[in-house]
Amino acid sequence: MGMLDAVRGWFKRGRAKRGPDSNFAGTFGTGSAGGFAGAAVGRLTASLASWSGSVNLDLEGSLPILRARARQLCANNEHGRRFLSLVAANIVGPAPLPKLQVRAFFAGAKGKPPTLDKAANDAIEVAWLAWCEDGADLTGLMDFNALCRTTVKAVARDGEAIVRIVRSADLKNGIALQLLEADRLDENINLQIASGVIRQGVEMDSAGRRLAYWIKRRHPGDRYGAAGAAQDSERVPAQDIIHIFLPERAEQARGYTWLHAILLRAMQLHGFNDAAVVAARLGASKVAALQRAEEAPDATATMADAQVGGAFHINAEPGDMIELPPGYTINGWNPEYPHANYESFVKAAMRGIAAGLDVATHNLSGDMTDVNYSSARIAELSEREQWMVLQGWFIRALVRPIYREWLALALIRGEIRFESSGKPLPPERLEKFSGASHFRGRRWRWVDPAKEVEAAEKGVSLGIVSRTRLAAEQGEEFEDILDELQMEDGMIAAAGLKPAVPDPQKSRPEDEANAHA
């Protein structure tokens, strides 16, 4: 009771000082000494937002505009196009990435460890690779890697992508994918329905779980077919659609472009560069004007052959010395462009754009003038962490759901077979194989291979890192490396040669340098 009485006394004394009409809103809501300066309302903060709606409300009017402007930037701006290339190269990578690794085990006998079911694992990996190369794309224009690259570019540029799963007995392994543009998802359908709500073409229950998608039968931006046909939408169940976007806020129904934070700055920089080019062309053109004094005589007769359009015009050759009529002078115009501050301004703008895109400035601009080993390594490691986060998201959002659908249908149809016997893998082991399957994204070469290999060697010798982990960091699998080494040894032996074995007694150049230091 003593503490409660003290609080009541403090409140009464504070209210007496503030007056009977005061309240806590006046103290904590206007940026006073006891509140938040960022929430202050006044002349200096009049341009700042004072209210925020839901993300879906913000997107209702902005989504098509953001998408159109992002596409324009990526089509006409070198840095927009470069960003899409970075996205595709680092999130997906070259074929056959993302790489499937199946590690199912046999149950070991009593007292013995389990062993890898290598025959089944290899059969699944080979069948998946064959489907990815020829069977994944419904149109037949792309393999699975190219489809993934196109999809992730669409997500970065448009904010989202739609992949429709088509199941048919006529398709390879019974399944194929149809990639649709985000425009096909009808953002004009917003309804309250018995099962939940439809927000911008996405039908959800009360918990936000996807039930269906309202897909336009034709692309609204195309000019073909019957008038108004592109506006007709069909309801497609959620199990047939993979709607890929990177959520930024809770309860978000649609995705928006990853370029949203830099659209204005990038377009301003692009416009500045255009104006600078025009100014530089003008600066390279030396212009001079003839000025006639009031008392000067009319020189029309003496300069008649130099008239162009009623005005005097003088052609000068290099090294010419000309004499003007009495009373005439030449006023020169020599603009100072390109300006000395042009490069520093562009670099500052590029740093801001790169920060807004979470990429290293030198990777986005291609400018390596201010880059050294230390700065490059710090920037590369930070950027690669972000790419690996996006790789994990992309694999969970697209690759694994498609793989589970493919594996189930391929096992049911008996199209995954053991290499030795030709017998199909049993479909009842679907959960075992699915749970033992993992995808590995792209990894990168070391910034300085000599230093990194030396560090890895010391880590292995000290027992603080394994060869398996080092191989995984490079996007490889240690077991595959062992198989390759074994195959190489067999080929060398069959050729009658001896494998080259490093001499442990032979010192390396750096060891000799350290010994004499």
Side-chain angles (χ1 to χ4, degrees):
M1 292 297 293
M3 179 63 71
L4 182 59
D5 290 339
V7 172
R8 287 173 176 170
W10 170 83
F11 181 78
K12 288 180 180 179
R13 291 192 299 272
R15 186 172 181 83
K17 293 179 180 179
R18 294 190 300 271
D21 296 329
S22 63
N23 51 48
F24 282 103
T27 302
F28 293 98
T30 60
S32 63
F36 295 99
V41 177
R43 178 177 57 84
L44 298 180
T45 59
S47 62
L48 301 180
S50 58
W51 180 84
S52 176
S54 71
V55 61
N56 296 320
L57 181 62
D58 291 342
L59 290 177
E60 278 184 9
S62 304
L63 189 60
I65 300 174
L66 281 174
R67 188 164 59 227
R69 291 178 178 175
R71 288 175 178 175
Q72 180 186 13
L73 180 68
C74 294
N76 300 316
N77 183 277
E78 62 273 21
H79 301 123
R81 185 182 183 280
R82 171 64 175 166
F83 176 66
L84 293 188
S85 298
L86 290 174
V87 166
N90 288 285
I91 296 180
V92 179
L97 296 173
K99 185 179 180 181
L100 172 64
Q101 296 177 344
V102 186
R103 290 297 172 264
F105 285 83
F106 284 120
K110 187 176 181 180
K112 294 184 178 180
T115 57
L116 274 174
D117 190 352
K118 185 171 177 56
N121 295 339
D122 291 346
I124 295 173
E125 292 178 0
V126 170
W128 167 257
L129 185 60
W131 180 79
C132 288
E133 291 178 348
D134 182 22
D137 182 23
L138 184 65
T139 66
L141 298 176
M142 300 181 285
D143 60 10
F144 185 66
N145 176 266
L147 187 142
C148 287
R149 291 168 65 89
T150 304
T151 301
V152 78
K153 281 185 177 182
V155 177
R157 181 188 60 242
D158 303 338
E160 54 191 347
I162 304 168
V163 177
R164 188 167 188 171
I165 302 175
V166 181
R167 304 174 184 85
S168 173
D170 299 332
L171 297 172
K172 186 173 185 178
N173 299 143
I175 186 174
L177 307 173
Q178 183 184 16
L179 182 58
L180 304 175
E181 283 208 299
D183 311 65
R184 296 281 292 271
L185 187 54
D186 198 340
E187 63 264 2
N188 296 318
I189 301 180
N190 294 276
L191 298 171
Q192 193 75 33
I193 58 177
S195 58
V197 65
I198 303 177
R199 298 301 301 266
Q200 302 173 59
V202 182
E203 185 175 330
M204 302 174 285
D205 63 12
S206 57
R209 290 178 293 234
R210 271 52 177 173
L211 302 175
Y213 294 90
W214 290 83
I215 304 296
K216 295 179 181 179
R217 299 181 187 276
R218 293 185 175 91
H219 195 294
D222 276 341
R223 297 180 179 178
Y224 66 92
Q231 303 306 318
D232 295 339
S233 300
E234 60 176 326
R235 183 182 184 273
V236 182
Q239 59 265 29
D240 294 339
I241 294 290
I242 300 179
H243 182 207
I244 311 161
F245 69 96
L246 188 61
E248 295 285 348
R249 292 173 60 181
E251 305 180 47
Q252 184 175 336
R254 299 285 297 268
Y256 52 88
T257 174
W258 295 1
L259 303 164
H260 65 94
I262 59 96
L263 278 175
L264 289 179
R265 184 187 285 264
M267 291 179 179
Q268 289 168 355
L269 179 60
H270 190 70
F272 174 77
N273 285 331
D274 287 344
V277 170
V278 174
R281 293 180 63 184
L282 290 175
S285 303
K286 305 300 182 182
V287 180
L290 291 175
Q291 183 176 3
R292 177 184 177 187
E294 294 182 0
E295 67 277 6
D298 187 2
T300 304
T302 58
M303 301 182 65
D305 57 343
Q307 285 190 2
V308 177
F312 297 126
H313 181 80
I314 297 177
N315 289 322
E317 297 293 335
D320 270 4
M321 299 296 291
I322 60 176
E323 179 180 359
L324 297 178
Y328 281 82
T329 58
I330 291 182
N331 291 332
W333 178 51
N334 188 18
E336 296 180 0
Y337 223 89
H339 199 275
N341 293 330
Y342 168 80
E343 185 175 357
S344 60
F345 175 83
V346 171
K347 285 187 175 182
M350 284 303 305
R351 284 194 292 267
I353 293 173
L357 298 175
D358 274 336
V359 297
T361 306
H362 64 270
N363 284 337
L364 183 64
S365 65
D367 183 6
M368 307 292 290
T369 55
D370 298 329
V371 178
N372 53 42
Y373 170 75
S374 299
S375 62
R377 191 174 191 277
I378 293 172
E380 293 290 339
L381 292 178
S382 177
E383 182 180 330
R384 289 174 182 180
E385 290 287 342
Q386 180 65 16
W387 290 130
M388 286 190 287
V389 170
L390 293 174
Q391 286 176 3
W393 156 78
F394 186 72
I395 290 172
R396 290 190 299 271
L398 177 68
V399 181
R400 282 201 62 84
I402 291 173
Y403 171 74
R404 285 194 293 266
E405 290 279 342
W406 170 86
L407 182 61
L409 286 172
L411 289 175
I412 292 172
R413 291 161 58 99
E415 295 181 348
I416 304 179
R417 299 176 177 272
F418 290 103
E419 182 181 5
S420 57
S421 65
K423 295 181 178 180
L425 271 66
E428 60 270 15
R429 297 175 66 185
L430 169 63
E431 293 301 324
K432 171 186 175 180
F433 292 134
S434 178
S437 301
H438 306 280
F439 284 90
R440 189 178 300 280
R442 177 199 170 172
R443 293 299 180 262
W444 300 268
R445 298 298 178 187
W446 288 305
V447 178
D448 189 331
K451 293 182 180 179
E452 302 288 353
V453 169
E454 183 179 356
E457 181 183 1
K458 290 182 179 179
V460 172
S461 64
L462 292 174
I464 59 176
V465 68
S466 66
R467 295 178 176 86
T468 301
R469 181 173 298 182
L470 290 173
E473 290 177 355
Q474 293 296 302
E476 304 292 342
E477 189 173 356
F478 187 56
E479 294 175 4
D480 290 343
I481 295 176
L482 293 179
D483 291 342
E484 290 179 5
L485 292 174
Q486 185 178 12
M487 180 181 65
E488 286 181 357
D489 289 342
M491 295 172 63
I492 292 173
L497 303 174
K498 292 183 179 181
V501 179
D503 185 0
Q505 303 298 325
K506 186 177 180 180
S507 60
R508 298 171 300 176
E510 57 267 29
D511 295 333
E512 295 178 1
N514 293 333
H516 292 288

